[in-house]
Amino acid sequence: MADDRTFNAWAYKPLTKMQLTLREWTEDCVELDITHCGICGSDVHTMDSGWGPTEYPCVVGHEIVGVVKKVGKNVTKVKVGDRAGVGAQCNSCRECKNCLEGSENLCMKGIVGTYNARWENGDKTYGGYADRWRGDYRFVFKVPDNMSSAIACTFFCAGVTTYAPLKRCNVNSSSVVGVMGLGGLGHYGVKWAKAMGAKVIGMSHNDKKREIALELGCDEYLNTSDKEAFGAYRRQMTHILCTGTGRDFDWVTYLSLIVVNGHFINISIPEWNFPEINPFVFFSTQVFISGSAIGSPAEIEDMLEFASVHDVEPWIQTYKMDDVVKAIEDFRAGKPRFRIVLEN
Amino acid sequence: MADDRTFNAWAYKPLTKMQLTLREWTEDCVELDITHCGICGSDVHTMDSGWGPTEYPCVVGHEIVGVVKKVGKNVTKVKVGDRAGVGAQCNSCRECKNCLEGSENLCMKGIVGTYNARWENGDKTYGGYADRWRGDYRFVFKVPDNMSSAIACTFFCAGVTTYAPLKRCNVNSSSVVGVMGLGGLGHYGVKWAKAMGAKVIGMSHNDKKREIALELGCDEYLNTSDKEAFGAYRRQMTHILCTGTGRDFDWVTYLSLIVVNGHFINISIPEWNFPEINPFVFFSTQVFISGSAIGSPAEIEDMLEFASVHDVEPWIQTYKMDDVVKAIEDFRAGKPRFRIVLEN
């Protein structure tokens, strides 16, 4: 049977329905009939060429879940009929030190993005605003049976980006986790930290998110414009997960909220740099500052298991895939509470 | 018997032999006949009012070892005749969260320095360029029997400043530790990391220290001006201990030497800030950046035990206490290999 590589996608730019060609089939491939795809801020940045030039036509979407339609001979981790997903990374070099040590998400030759990148054979990678996806099994994961596909898809980027560093930094029932920024990522941060047993402090730069923070499960709320309110939290948080910050960020103020040997974890990508650090700040706080890049395949597996066991349920809003233009408009307007999922 | 509080010191400024008055005696006090005192960069900074105004007369020196001459009724950790030492901190509030949790070195009310500070009763604190020292037992530690006093005194500041973060960040026989800067602190870093079983890469900004680095025990040497040499170390170090750096420091270059989830630990105090951090650097490296402040009493105890068991022997040069003026001149000229110790 001839390999049917034609698929339907919403491709940019502008966002238009068109037919494109899936990558060449190999025995390492998995093909999905896409049922769901989350909308990530990266999709919009890439459509806008915000992180460098985008090679059009580009099919974005890297929170993909679908039903496995076809697997190559080398594939054992999923089988036809399974629900499976793929996140922001679809390949790595498999040879560098980081890949060999299980940190494929930090591949030293650069990760292969699920869109706007190239497979090793030169074929373009295409994301999930489409009806089909095809790619290497190494970055495809079975969705746990007790998890809806609409929920599951969002775990593959927003989920693991927030889960991996909290897990890595040992958030547990003794932890007090401040979550800076309560948008798409922050809301996952709250959900994970609560499921890990921590006390959670929602943090945002005004009072608009206070109510929804508590509704999400935050135990307390800190308006970061209210400098007086900081006093009560001095050296109280074991972790801060920074998912968003303003230009007025300063190290002393935020690190002073964190306990000795606690963690400041940045996963936000502001359009500006984090400020200079006075060397005395390192001494006087004794806090670990780090960041995190999506998550490795092992971390994705671990997250899916954790979410399944702890029934972690992010708040999502679904749109029909054919309403993607409207969905992106709403996304740009900051309307999602907290993640938009496109459904075929 | 009247309390004899008069002691002889080399006090600033200028550095002159004079008689001053020890703090008032309490039953929490330990008094030492000082036998040895190391010269720390902080001594010179303080004499120069480099970190803010110094209250003269000031007796610097916070790597003090002596023989216990007198103890208060509340003191059980040392007894008359013991050899004991005190480091850069001589008191803390004992009430704040950090003190109560054993991080007295990060006392939230500010640590009380062994010189140029005040005891809780208002008496001045005086350091170790003197014949006697008197202070609270909580920051006095018994010197292990198998350790010379000349060696021991240097552990109380330079030693613990380098030991504590390496221990805290779990340096062990699987570690590869880069030590940036091979001066007073860096040389301790090398000694500790080797004793912990690590492979050690000495790092300095030219080739002048190559030979001595290897003599100190470094397994390899990286001239940080040779950007080509960095390639071989990409993602190879589990830890970097930064004890000195230049204005050309940049995050990407140095963090790229460190393995995923490795540590960049800064204990240097350059006269400039560490540069801005591009948010992508957090993601692409996934390294923990931290600093460290001397060490807690528990860390000092732990260090003394470790040094005793592992026979850690820093390189010191001794001068007579009465030659302190010459010793400071030599210190300022960068002559010590690697620590100067004054002997009474």
Side-chain angles (χ1 to χ4, degrees):
Chain A
M1 195 173 78
D3 181 18
D4 171 20
R5 295 169 63 184
T6 304
F7 73 112
N8 299 298
W10 285 92
Y12 216 67
K13 86 182 209 187
L15 207 49
T16 314
K17 208 164 186 176
M18 61 178 81
Q19 290 200 320
L20 293 165
T21 304
L22 291 173
R23 66 154 292 160
E24 190 181 34
W25 182 258
T26 76
E27 297 304 338
D28 286 347
C29 278
V30 174
E31 195 171 302
L32 303 176
D33 276 337
I34 295 171
T35 59
H36 296 84
C37 185
I39 295 181
C40 176
S42 305
D43 299 352
V44 176
H45 272 290
T46 302
M47 287 194 285
D48 296 347
S49 288
W51 286 331
T54 295
E55 192 183 352
Y56 301 113
C58 175
V59 181
V60 298
H62 58 206
E63 295 185 334
I64 305 169
V65 163
V67 177
V68 177
K69 187 184 175 181
K70 194 174 160 189
V71 297
K73 287 184 185 142
N74 303 330
V75 180
T76 56
K77 70 196 280 193
V78 291
K79 60 181 193 304
V80 173
D82 282 349
R83 290 179 307 136
V86 59
Q89 177 176 17
C90 69
N91 209 359
S92 74
C93 80
R94 303 172 208 166
E95 291 173 348
C96 74
K97 184 165 180 286
N98 287 353
C99 281
L100 294 174
E101 292 177 356
S103 295
E104 296 92 334
N105 55 317
L106 293 158
C107 174
M108 291 164 72
K109 295 187 182 159
I111 71 166
V112 179
T114 296
Y115 51 74
N116 198 34
R118 297 272 176 179
W119 292 100
E120 69 283 9
N121 69 354
D123 285 350
K124 286 178 75 170
T125 66
Y126 288 123
Y129 295 8
D131 62 353
R132 286 161 72 200
W133 181 87
R134 182 188 278 185
D136 193 279
Y137 73 86
R138 293 171 183 82
F139 291 85
V140 174
F141 305 88
K142 190 171 182 309
V143 171
D145 290 337
N146 68 342
M147 192 183 286
S148 82
S149 296
I151 292 288
C153 70
T154 71
F155 286 140
F156 286 95
C157 179
V160 74
T161 297
T162 44
Y163 174 84
L166 295 175
K167 185 75 188 307
R168 193 182 303 135
C169 297
N170 194 31
V171 170
N172 59 45
S173 57
S174 310
S175 304
V176 179
V177 179
V179 177
M180 286 172 67
L182 294 167
L185 289 177
H187 129 275
Y188 283 87
V190 172
K191 291 288 179 188
W192 294 125
K194 286 305 296 177
M196 291 170 185
K199 177 175 171 180
V200 178
I201 321 292
M203 300 166 71
S204 190
H205 62 290
N206 58 37
D207 264 326
K208 287 185 193 161
K209 297 227 168 147
R210 184 181 292 273
E211 204 169 316
I212 207 157
L214 300 176
E215 209 180 321
L216 269 174
C218 290
D219 298 281
E220 296 173 17
Y221 184 84
L222 174 58
N223 174 345
T224 57
S225 300
D226 178 2
K227 296 305 175 204
E228 300 223 340
F230 276 70
Y233 290 100
R234 189 170 170 221
R235 292 286 197 184
Q236 296 299 315
M237 302 181 189
T238 56
H239 302 71
I240 285 182
L241 181 71
C242 176
T243 73
T245 182
R247 284 185 188 272
D248 61 345
F249 176 86
D250 74 282
W251 290 109
V252 174
T253 301
Y254 287 90
L255 297 188
S256 72
L257 302 176
I258 302 174
V259 302
V260 175
N261 301 333
H263 287 273
F264 178 88
I265 306 159
N266 176 59
I267 54 168
S268 74
I269 314 186
E271 287 165 11
W272 50 86
N273 290 340
F274 280 78
E276 293 185 352
I277 309 185
N278 180 306
F280 282 98
V281 173
F282 289 112
F283 292 68
S284 60
T285 61
Q286 206 172 297
V287 162
F288 296 102
I289 301 166
S290 65
S292 187
I294 45 174
S296 67
E299 287 171 324
I300 292 173
E301 301 271 15
D302 180 49
M303 167 194 67
L304 291 169
E305 168 76 12
F306 181 91
S308 167
V309 168
H310 292 84
D311 276 329
V312 178
E313 288 248 332
W315 292 6
I316 61 167
Q317 290 170 283
T318 55
Y319 287 64
K320 289 280 165 212
M321 182 73 77
D322 281 341
D323 294 333
V324 61
V325 172
K326 167 73 171 136
I328 293 287
E329 268 175 32
D330 288 353
F331 182 92
R332 287 188 192 269
K335 290 190 186 170
R337 285 291 177 277
F338 281 91
R339 203 73 175 171
I340 291 178
V341 172
L342 303 169
E343 277 184 323
N344 271 316
Chain B
M1 196 174 75
D3 181 19
D4 171 20
R5 294 169 64 183
T6 303
F7 72 112
N8 300 297
W10 284 92
Y12 217 67
K13 77 185 218 184
L15 207 50
T16 314
K17 208 163 187 175
M18 61 178 81
Q19 290 200 318
L20 293 165
T21 304
L22 291 173
R23 64 154 294 161
E24 190 181 32
W25 181 257
T26 76
E27 298 304 340
D28 286 347
C29 278
V30 174
E31 194 172 302
L32 304 177
D33 276 338
I34 296 171
T35 58
H36 296 83
C37 185
I39 295 181
C40 176
S42 305
D43 300 351
V44 176
H45 272 290
T46 302
M47 288 195 284
D48 296 348
S49 287
W51 287 329
T54 295
E55 192 182 352
Y56 301 114
C58 176
V59 181
V60 299
H62 58 205
E63 295 186 335
I64 306 168
V65 163
V67 177
V68 177
K69 185 185 176 182
K70 192 174 159 189
V71 297
K73 287 184 185 144
N74 303 331
V75 180
T76 55
K77 69 197 281 196
V78 291
K79 60 182 193 304
V80 172
D82 281 349
R83 292 180 305 137
V86 59
Q89 177 175 16
C90 69
N91 209 359
S92 74
C93 79
R94 305 173 207 164
E95 293 173 348
C96 74
K97 183 165 181 287
N98 288 353
C99 281
L100 294 174
E101 293 177 354
S103 295
E104 297 92 335
N105 56 318
L106 293 157
C107 174
M108 291 164 72
K109 295 187 183 161
I111 71 167
V112 178
T114 296
Y115 51 74
N116 198 32
R118 296 270 176 180
W119 292 101
E120 68 283 9
N121 69 353
D123 286 349
K124 285 178 76 170
T125 66
Y126 288 122
Y129 294 8
D131 63 353
R132 286 162 73 200
W133 182 87
R134 182 187 278 185
D136 194 279
Y137 73 86
R138 293 169 183 83
F139 291 86
V140 174
F141 306 88
K142 189 172 183 306
V143 171
D145 290 338
N146 68 343
M147 192 183 286
S148 82
S149 296
I151 293 288
C153 70
T154 70
F155 286 140
F156 285 94
C157 179
V160 74
T161 297
T162 44
Y163 174 83
L166 295 174
K167 185 74 189 307
R168 193 182 302 135
C169 296
N170 194 32
V171 170
N172 59 44
S173 59
S174 310
S175 303
V176 179
V177 179
V179 177
M180 285 172 68
L182 293 168
L185 289 177
H187 129 275
Y188 284 87
V190 172
K191 291 288 177 186
W192 294 126
K194 286 304 296 177
M196 291 170 185
K199 177 176 171 180
V200 178
I201 321 294
M203 299 166 71
S204 189
H205 62 290
N206 57 38
D207 264 326
K208 287 184 194 163
K209 297 227 168 145
R210 184 181 293 273
E211 206 169 314
I212 206 158
L214 301 176
E215 210 180 321
L216 269 173
C218 291
D219 299 282
E220 296 173 16
Y221 185 83
L222 173 59
N223 174 344
T224 58
S225 299
D226 177 3
K227 295 305 175 205
E228 300 223 340
F230 276 70
Y233 290 100
R234 190 170 169 222
R235 293 286 197 186
Q236 295 299 314
M237 301 181 189
T238 56
H239 302 72
I240 285 181
L241 181 71
C242 176
T243 72
T245 180
R247 284 188 188 271
D248 61 344
F249 176 86
D250 74 283
W251 289 110
V252 173
T253 300
Y254 287 90
L255 296 188
S256 71
L257 301 177
I258 302 174
V259 302
V260 175
N261 301 332
H263 288 273
F264 179 89
I265 305 159
N266 175 58
I267 54 168
S268 74
I269 314 186
E271 287 164 11
W272 50 87
N273 290 340
F274 279 79
E276 293 185 352
I277 309 185
N278 180 304
F280 282 99
V281 172
F282 290 112
F283 291 69
S284 59
T285 60
Q286 205 173 299
V287 162
F288 296 102
I289 300 166
S290 64
S292 187
I294 45 174
S296 68
E299 287 170 325
I300 292 173
E301 300 272 16
D302 180 50
M303 167 194 67
L304 290 171
E305 168 76 13
F306 181 92
S308 167
V309 169
H310 292 84
D311 275 328
V312 178
E313 290 247 333
W315 292 7
I316 61 167
Q317 292 171 283
T318 55
Y319 287 65
K320 289 281 164 212
M321 183 73 77
D322 281 341
D323 294 334
V324 62
V325 172
K326 168 73 171 134
I328 293 287
E329 266 176 34
D330 288 353
F331 182 93
R332 287 187 192 269
K335 291 190 186 170
R337 284 292 174 278
F338 281 90
R339 204 73 175 170
I340 291 178
V341 172
L342 303 169
E343 276 184 324
N344 270 315

